[in-house]
Amino acid sequence: AVDGNLSVVHQDNVQFDSELPEFGTQGGVHIHADSLTVTSPVLMWVKQHGSVYWRKGTNQVLRDLQPGKTLHELLKGGFAVSDSPVWMDSSTTEQCQYLETAVGGAQRVADITGSRAYERFTGNQIAKIYKAQPEKYEDTERISLVSSFAASLFLGSYAAIDYSDGSGMNLMDIFSKQWADSCLEATAPHLEERLGAPVHSSAVLGLLSPYHVTRYGFPEDCKVVAFTGDNPGSLAGMRLQEGDIAVSLGTSDTVFLWIKEPRPTVEGHIFCNPVDRSSYMALICYKNGSLTRERIRNKCAGGSWEVFSSVLRTTPTGNNGNIGIYFDAMEITPSAVGVHRFDKENTKVAGFSAQGEIRALVEGQFLAKRVHAEKLGYKIMLATGGASSNKDILQVLSDVFYAPVYTIDVANSACLGCGYRALFSNAGPGELRYWVCRLLFQPSTNTPALNHQLILVFGLNHNSGFSWCYCRARTKDCACSSSPGPELKNAAIGTLMEIHVQSDSCCYSI
């Protein structure tokens, strides 16, 4: 949660496996016997790239929620599909092939929807449910993404899917920003009425449900802004500009950047931009992210991130020529599975030492990202996600890309971005501006070294100019001007909303 000054005032999270053990998940999901089908209980959800199938009549249930009962109690019978597919699901190859054939090929699907047909995308999962469980599809009144599902709980009625998250469905025309008829027809009958019309990511959907006002004390005039996915949220939270590239290190790893002129291909994705209606975001997703890092941590570092990090600090860059490819689950880009290790002679080997395994994993993951990032082009690299709080992992990222890597001081940029979007959506044009300085890593020379810790500074504008601040860490003094610029002419001490000072640095406007 952020306040009117864009300062983070609260953070929280739920660990599905440990805090909600009654759902019996591992890593928040149920992996089925075929190792391809991956689902998750709807009543437990806060994840992205999943779909929710509301049973007929549930919209009225949402409107009539009783404040004396929990949502879990009230919505127990509200879903036609109780265990729904999530982004890790790889069981819809047949549906993907059908979609591409029906529409005119993989490139044609990408030209319309921003991506070729992907197994984890919602349209193909809907097609599988329609074919395998037609009675459940028939019983479905509305289909939500998990983002619009969560918004529906706050709104007290079915919430619209936003353009950005809707771009990851293989169903929406990313240029007209409407559902694509050819894709709908190849997926399931009467699908458009079950999806509802999509909206821009900054759309105000309505007022908060009376359920939350009465039960939790929210103000009656609290508004609900369209919810979006984790990657679009991160783009907003990291304040990307055109030419910046971000690496998100989470359950899945992603590389994404802000672009103006989309050119869809059969590799990677183009999404609608959640901040600027005329822009887009390019994205490449890697399924084997933090869960794979955690497996190697458990195997080679006794479950300790401290030991894992120590190994990265003390082993040589380049790992003496040893390299590994670690695809525990069927990877997205490229489509492959398995663990493959090679020594400096390019000979396949059965294993490395524990120390070599850790570095091979991290370097191998980042080398794969560099291959694709270089095709996209970039000026500045930023890191986010849970693993971005690990300085030793970020040092390897900087070394592999041979480029400086920046972070912000809030690892969960997706939630932060959604807080920003909510504030911006309720502010008039030009009312709010902000600045940020970022944590900087430089490529190693002889030893890994953290270069600078930069300062987080916010500026506020109510249609009357805005402040620009230069902060010197050692003396903790800041001078601010009414117009942006490094000269700071006629500078005067200004009002700083928040500042964390750790070393000499300066800030620039975003």
Side-chain angles (χ1 to χ4, degrees):
V2 298
D3 62 16
N5 296 328
L6 292 177
S7 300
V8 177
V9 295
H10 182 73
Q11 298 184 61
D12 206 351
N13 65 81
V14 175
Q15 297 295 325
F16 294 142
D17 297 358
S18 58
E19 296 182 47
L20 300 171
E22 63 271 25
F23 292 104
T25 59
Q26 289 185 314
V29 299
H30 294 147
I31 300 176
H32 293 231
D34 62 4
S35 298
L36 296 174
T37 304
V38 184
T39 61
S40 188
V42 174
L43 286 173
M44 186 194 73
W45 260 355
V46 229
K47 291 181 120 160
Q48 298 302 332
H49 284 309
S51 45
V52 176
Y53 301 78
W54 301 92
R55 178 168 282 142
K56 289 179 179 178
T58 307
N59 199 32
Q60 191 61 48
V61 175
L62 286 170
R63 291 183 175 131
D64 297 334
L65 293 173
Q66 302 169 45
K69 296 183 178 181
T70 66
L71 289 176
H72 183 274
E73 293 176 277
L74 294 167
L75 295 174
K76 261 186 176 176
F79 306 105
V81 178
S82 60
D83 215 35
S84 289
V86 295
W87 66 273
M88 294 173 69
D89 186 86
S90 302
S91 67
T92 62
T93 300
E94 177 186 339
Q95 286 72 31
C96 290
Q97 292 171 346
Y98 182 83
L99 176 65
E100 291 182 350
T101 300
V103 175
Q107 184 60 55
R108 180 57 182 157
V109 174
D111 289 339
I112 297 171
T113 71
S115 310
R116 67 171 301 164
Y118 279 94
E119 282 83 355
R120 74 189 190 279
F121 275 20
T122 315
N124 305 304
Q125 295 174 344
I126 293 171
K128 180 184 173 184
I129 286 177
Y130 168 67
K131 180 180 179 180
Q133 305 175 78
E135 72 287 351
K136 292 187 176 181
Y137 181 80
E138 180 59 30
D139 193 31
T140 298
E141 180 174 62
R142 185 67 170 258
I143 299 174
S144 295
L145 299 181
V146 180
S147 54
S148 59
F149 159 71
S152 300
L153 299 180
F154 286 101
L155 191 63
S157 62
Y158 296 147
I161 294 170
D162 81 294
Y163 295 154
S164 290
D165 215 13
S167 303
M169 298 175 70
N170 278 147
L171 292 176
M172 194 186 79
D173 185 323
I174 61 169
F175 298 98
S176 70
K177 298 179 175 61
Q178 300 297 320
W179 303 121
D181 290 339
S182 58
C183 297
L184 295 176
E185 291 167 5
T187 302
H190 310 295
L191 181 54
E192 186 169 10
E193 64 193 51
R194 287 174 166 84
L195 295 174
V199 298
H200 186 263
S201 302
S202 64
V204 177
L205 304 179
L207 295 176
L208 188 70
S209 165
Y211 172 87
H212 298 282
V213 174
T214 302
R215 185 176 176 90
Y216 299 110
F218 281 89
E220 292 184 357
D221 61 350
C222 180
K223 297 175 183 177
V224 178
V225 176
F227 283 31
T228 194
D230 50 357
N231 291 311
S234 287
L235 181 140
M238 299 195 76
R239 288 85 77 182
L240 292 192
Q241 301 181 92
E242 189 174 1
D244 290 355
I245 191 166
V247 178
S248 177
L249 303 173
T251 306
S252 62
D253 287 348
T254 54
V255 174
F256 56 91
L257 72 162
W258 181 308
I259 59 173
K260 284 286 189 182
E261 299 179 1
R263 297 183 180 88
T265 68
V266 295
E267 186 177 85
H269 318 288
I270 304 292
F271 283 12
C272 293
N273 191 299
V275 178
D276 181 2
R277 297 183 191 217
S278 64
S279 297
Y280 294 83
M281 62 180 290
L283 180 148
I284 296 176
C285 184
Y286 305 86
K287 186 181 293 186
N288 295 277
S290 66
L291 296 182
T292 304
R293 287 188 288 272
E294 288 169 11
R295 179 180 69 80
I296 297 298
R297 176 205 63 186
N298 295 339
K299 174 186 174 185
C300 300
S304 167
W305 283 120
E306 289 76 14
V307 173
F308 190 97
S309 295
S310 176
V311 169
L312 293 178
R313 288 194 300 272
T314 56
T315 50
T317 301
N319 204 23
N320 297 315
N322 297 313
I323 189 170
I325 299 169
Y326 298 81
F327 295 159
D328 290 356
M330 178 65 72
E331 189 49 84
I332 300 163
T333 306
S335 180
V337 68
V339 176
H340 310 276
R341 303 175 183 87
F342 300 88
D343 64 16
K344 64 181 179 181
E345 305 296 335
N346 203 27
T347 301
K348 193 167 185 177
V349 296
F352 299 133
S353 67
Q355 293 81 4
E357 193 90 88
I358 290 171
R359 180 165 280 277
L361 164 71
V362 179
E363 288 189 343
Q365 287 184 326
F366 292 154
L367 281 168
K369 294 169 180 56
R370 177 174 172 172
V371 167
H372 296 106
E374 288 180 338
K375 296 177 184 177
L376 297 171
Y378 58 92
K379 299 174 184 175
I380 294 176
M381 178 181 296
L382 302 99
T384 183
S388 68
S389 61
N390 186 311
K391 296 178 181 179
D392 299 294
I393 289 178
L394 291 190
Q395 188 61 63
V396 176
L397 177 62
S398 179
D399 293 341
V400 168
F401 277 79
Y402 200 68
V405 174
Y406 299 83
T407 71
I408 57 176
D409 69 345
V410 178
N412 195 340
S413 58
C415 288
L416 182 65
C418 290
Y420 288 167
R421 289 192 312 102
L423 187 58
F424 293 158
S425 297
N426 283 283
E431 286 186 5
L432 194 60
R433 296 289 186 272
Y434 58 87
W435 294 266
V436 65
C437 290
R438 297 150 172 162
L439 176 69
L440 170 62
F441 290 80
Q442 291 281 22
S444 304
T445 51
N446 295 325
T447 58
L450 171 63
N451 249 27
H452 298 292
Q453 175 87 43
L454 300 184
I455 302 171
L456 183 62
V457 177
F458 296 130
L460 190 63
N461 169 17
H462 294 288
N463 295 321
S464 60
F466 46 89
S467 298
W468 186 94
C469 303
Y470 173 82
C471 305
R472 189 175 300 279
R474 290 175 184 169
T475 57
K476 299 186 179 181
D477 62 317
C478 296
C480 299
S481 171
S482 60
S483 60
E487 301 82 10
L488 285 175
K489 295 177 180 177
N490 303 318
I493 297 300
T495 302
L496 289 179
M497 308 308 168
E498 180 178 342
I499 181 167
H500 302 301
V501 179
Q502 296 192 29
S503 70
D504 285 343
S505 54
C506 64
C507 299
Y508 49 91
S509 63
I510 298 295

